[in-house]
């Protein structure tokens, strides 16, 4: 198994809420190419397509935006 996986961002949420209740926006955008650990994220299958849902902080790199 590869240690990392490369993928394309197909959706991105608004960000995370810090301890003061302020939303810190995500820096990844739809269409970006990203690298993340193969053991990270949650794998789901929708209509026969596999997707991986993960937190932005779990990404190793953003190659394109």
């Amino acid at each position: 198994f590869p240690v990392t996986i490369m993928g394309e961002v197909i959706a991105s949420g608004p960000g995370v809420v810090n301890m003061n209740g302020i939303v810190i926006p995500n820096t990844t955008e739809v269409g970006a190419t990203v690298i993340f650990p193969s053991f990270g994220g949650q794998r789901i299958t929708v209509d026969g397509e596999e997707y991986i849902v993960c937190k932005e902080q779990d990404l190793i790199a953003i190659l394109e935006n």
Side-chain angles (χ1 to χ4, degrees):
F1 291 96
V3 177
T4 60
I5 299 173
M6 187 180 304
E8 179 183 349
V9 176
I10 61 165
S12 182
V16 296
V17 179
N18 71 11
M19 292 177 18
N20 297 322
I22 298 170
V23 176
I24 300 171
N26 287 328
T27 58
T28 52
E29 297 177 1
V30 173
T33 301
V34 295
I35 297 176
F36 51 93
S38 61
F39 53 83
Q42 178 66 44
R43 287 168 168 70
I44 61 169
T45 302
V46 178
D47 295 331
E49 282 287 324
E50 183 179 53
Y51 299 94
I52 300 175
V53 179
C54 66
K55 297 177 184 178
E56 183 179 63
Q57 66 193 37
D58 295 336
L59 297 177
I60 295 170
I62 302 170
L63 300 179
E64 300 173 9
N65 238 357

